[in-house]
Amino acid sequence: MLLTIALFQMSALSTVAAKSSLRILSLHGFGQDGAAFRSKTGSFRKDSSSIADYHFIDAPLMVEHRKIGPGLSWYDFTGTDSNSATVSSAPGSPPAENTSDDEAPLKWDRFDETLKLLDGVFETQGPFDGVFGFSQGAALALVLCALQERGEAPP
Protein backbone atom coordinates (compact mmCIF):
# COMPACT_ATOMS: atom_id res chain seq x y z
CA MET A 1 0.00 0.00 0.00
CA LEU A 2 1.10 3.51 -0.70
CA LEU A 3 1.25 6.12 2.03
CA THR A 4 2.13 9.70 1.18
CA ILE A 5 2.70 12.74 3.31
CA ALA A 6 3.58 15.87 1.39
CA LEU A 7 3.96 19.45 2.47
CA PHE A 8 2.60 21.91 -0.03
CA GLN A 9 5.19 24.49 0.90
CA MET A 10 8.42 23.72 2.70
CA SER A 11 8.24 27.20 4.24
CA ALA A 12 5.29 25.89 6.27
CA LEU A 13 7.77 24.04 8.48
CA SER A 14 9.37 27.30 9.54
CA THR A 15 5.99 28.70 10.53
CA VAL A 16 5.05 25.83 12.86
CA ALA A 17 6.33 27.77 15.85
CA ALA A 18 4.16 30.73 14.92
CA LYS A 19 1.07 28.57 14.33
CA SER A 20 -0.59 26.16 16.70
CA SER A 21 -0.02 23.33 14.19
CA LEU A 22 0.19 22.40 10.54
CA ARG A 23 -3.17 21.89 8.84
CA ILE A 24 -3.07 18.60 6.92
CA LEU A 25 -5.71 17.49 4.43
CA SER A 26 -6.20 13.72 4.90
CA LEU A 27 -7.36 11.50 2.03
CA HIS A 28 -8.53 7.92 2.61
CA GLY A 29 -8.05 4.93 0.34
CA PHE A 30 -10.61 3.15 -1.82
CA GLY A 31 -13.52 1.68 0.11
CA GLN A 32 -12.89 3.76 3.23
CA ASP A 33 -14.28 7.09 4.32
CA GLY A 34 -12.82 9.96 6.29
CA ALA A 35 -14.08 8.57 9.62
CA ALA A 36 -12.52 5.14 9.01
CA PHE A 37 -9.20 6.70 7.97
CA ARG A 38 -9.29 8.92 11.05
CA SER A 39 -9.86 5.87 13.24
CA LYS A 40 -7.05 3.85 11.61
CA THR A 41 -4.54 6.69 12.06
CA GLY A 42 -5.26 7.31 15.75
CA SER A 43 -1.83 6.51 17.18
CA PHE A 44 -0.07 8.33 14.32
CA ARG A 45 -2.21 11.43 14.91
CA LYS A 46 -1.60 11.25 18.65
CA ASP A 47 2.17 11.08 18.13
CA SER A 48 2.11 14.11 15.82
CA SER A 49 -0.62 16.12 17.57
CA SER A 50 1.85 18.73 18.80
CA ILE A 51 2.70 19.75 15.23
CA ALA A 52 -0.26 18.75 13.03
CA ASP A 53 -4.03 19.00 12.85
CA TYR A 54 -5.60 16.52 10.40
CA HIS A 55 -8.73 17.29 8.36
CA PHE A 56 -10.48 14.18 6.99
CA ILE A 57 -12.90 14.31 4.07
CA ASP A 58 -14.88 11.72 2.10
CA ALA A 59 -14.38 10.86 -1.56
CA PRO A 60 -17.29 11.97 -3.75
CA LEU A 61 -17.90 8.76 -5.71
CA MET A 62 -19.43 5.39 -4.86
CA VAL A 63 -17.83 2.92 -7.24
CA GLU A 64 -18.20 -0.82 -7.77
CA HIS A 65 -14.75 -2.31 -8.36
CA ARG A 66 -14.99 -5.54 -10.36
CA LYS A 67 -12.78 -7.46 -7.92
CA ILE A 68 -12.99 -5.59 -4.60
CA GLY A 69 -16.66 -4.60 -4.58
CA PRO A 70 -18.31 -1.26 -3.76
CA GLY A 71 -16.64 1.63 -1.99
CA LEU A 72 -16.02 5.36 -1.87
CA SER A 73 -13.49 6.43 -4.46
CA TRP A 74 -11.62 9.53 -5.62
CA TYR A 75 -12.08 8.44 -9.25
CA ASP A 76 -14.09 5.90 -11.23
CA PHE A 77 -11.99 3.04 -12.50
CA THR A 78 -14.80 0.64 -13.31
CA GLY A 79 -15.24 1.33 -17.01
CA THR A 80 -13.02 -0.08 -19.68
CA ASP A 81 -11.12 1.98 -22.16
CA SER A 82 -11.42 0.42 -25.59
CA ASN A 83 -9.10 3.09 -27.00
CA SER A 84 -6.38 2.28 -24.51
CA ALA A 85 -3.31 0.48 -25.72
CA THR A 86 -2.95 -2.95 -24.15
CA VAL A 87 0.27 -3.38 -22.23
CA SER A 88 1.96 -6.45 -23.59
CA SER A 89 4.14 -8.83 -21.66
CA ALA A 90 7.14 -10.76 -22.79
CA PRO A 91 6.28 -14.21 -24.22
CA GLY A 92 5.79 -16.73 -21.43
CA SER A 93 5.48 -14.09 -18.69
CA PRO A 94 2.28 -13.34 -16.75
CA PRO A 95 -0.12 -10.75 -18.18
CA ALA A 96 0.51 -7.06 -17.46
CA GLU A 97 -0.78 -5.87 -14.09
CA ASN A 98 -3.90 -4.08 -15.33
CA THR A 99 -4.99 -6.66 -17.89
CA SER A 100 -5.63 -10.36 -18.25
CA ASP A 101 -6.88 -12.43 -21.14
CA ASP A 102 -10.52 -11.67 -20.24
CA GLU A 103 -10.21 -8.04 -19.03
CA ALA A 104 -9.86 -4.77 -20.91
CA PRO A 105 -7.71 -2.00 -19.41
CA LEU A 106 -9.53 0.09 -16.80
CA LYS A 107 -10.43 3.68 -17.60
CA TRP A 108 -9.69 6.43 -15.05
CA ASP A 109 -12.83 8.56 -15.13
CA ARG A 110 -14.92 11.21 -13.28
CA PHE A 111 -11.84 12.78 -11.70
CA ASP A 112 -13.34 16.20 -12.43
CA GLU A 113 -15.90 15.51 -9.68
CA THR A 114 -13.09 15.03 -7.18
CA LEU A 115 -11.39 18.24 -8.29
CA LYS A 116 -14.68 20.14 -7.82
CA LEU A 117 -15.06 18.68 -4.33
CA LEU A 118 -11.48 19.64 -3.48
CA ASP A 119 -11.99 23.19 -4.75
CA GLY A 120 -14.89 23.50 -2.30
CA VAL A 121 -12.88 21.94 0.53
CA PHE A 122 -9.96 24.31 -0.06
CA GLU A 123 -12.35 27.25 -0.19
CA THR A 124 -14.36 26.37 2.96
CA GLN A 125 -11.82 24.51 5.10
CA GLY A 126 -8.42 25.63 3.79
CA PRO A 127 -5.76 26.68 3.55
CA PHE A 128 -3.78 23.51 4.20
CA ASP A 129 -0.07 23.17 4.79
CA GLY A 130 0.12 19.63 3.46
CA VAL A 131 -1.69 16.51 2.38
CA PHE A 132 -1.65 13.00 3.87
CA GLY A 133 -3.03 10.09 1.88
CA PHE A 134 -3.30 6.33 1.99
CA SER A 135 -3.43 4.09 -1.08
CA GLN A 136 -5.81 5.75 -3.57
CA GLY A 137 -5.72 8.87 -1.36
CA ALA A 138 -1.92 8.85 -1.64
CA ALA A 139 -2.20 8.80 -5.43
CA LEU A 140 -4.54 11.79 -5.20
CA ALA A 141 -2.12 13.54 -2.83
CA LEU A 142 0.65 13.20 -5.42
CA VAL A 143 -1.66 14.55 -8.15
CA LEU A 144 -2.50 17.55 -5.94
CA CYS A 145 1.20 18.26 -5.40
CA ALA A 146 1.86 18.03 -9.15
CA LEU A 147 -1.08 20.34 -9.89
CA GLN A 148 0.15 22.84 -7.34
CA GLU A 149 3.64 22.73 -8.79
CA ARG A 150 2.08 23.67 -12.15
CA GLY A 151 0.03 26.43 -10.51
CA GLU A 152 -3.25 24.59 -11.13
CA ALA A 153 -4.22 23.73 -7.53
CA PRO A 154 -5.15 25.90 -4.56
CA PRO A 155 -2.23 27.04 -2.39
Side-chain angles (χ1 to χ4, degrees):
M1 291 294 163
L2 181 62
L3 177 71
T4 299
I5 301 173
L7 291 177
F8 283 128
Q9 299 175 359
M10 292 305 289
S11 62
L13 288 175
S14 63
T15 62
V16 172
K19 295 170 71 173
S20 59
S21 61
L22 292 170
R23 294 176 40 81
I24 308 296
L25 178 61
S26 303
L27 307 170
H28 60 81
F30 173 77
Q32 293 184 343
D33 60 22
F37 189 35
R38 180 178 180 78
S39 175
K40 291 179 180 189
T41 58
S43 61
F44 176 79
R45 288 183 299 104
K46 182 179 178 183
D47 289 345
S48 60
S49 64
S50 65
I51 62 165
D53 182 28
Y54 298 89
H55 299 271
F56 294 84
I57 62 171
D58 293 340
L61 306 173
M62 178 58 73
V63 173
E64 177 84 28
H65 186 276
R66 64 184 174 209
K67 292 183 180 180
I68 300 170
L72 286 178
S73 181
W74 298 106
Y75 48 88
D76 184 351
F77 50 84
T78 58
T80 57
D81 186 356
S82 59
N83 296 322
S84 169
T86 302
V87 178
S88 59
S89 302
S93 65
E97 188 175 324
N98 69 333
T99 63
S100 70
D101 292 338
D102 60 331
E103 296 177 344
L106 292 175
K107 180 174 65 172
W108 213 59
D109 201 11
R110 298 176 63 198
F111 189 62
D112 58 324
E113 294 175 47
T114 292
L115 292 177
K116 286 178 189 172
L117 170 79
L118 290 171
D119 281 344
V121 167
F122 276 89
E123 186 176 313
T124 61
Q125 300 176 37
F128 296 100
D129 299 304
V131 59
F132 168 51
F134 172 73
S135 191
Q136 193 184 75
L140 177 57
L142 293 172
V143 169
L144 283 174
C145 290
L147 289 173
Q148 189 194 43
E149 182 70 23
R150 293 172 54 177
E152 297 175 16

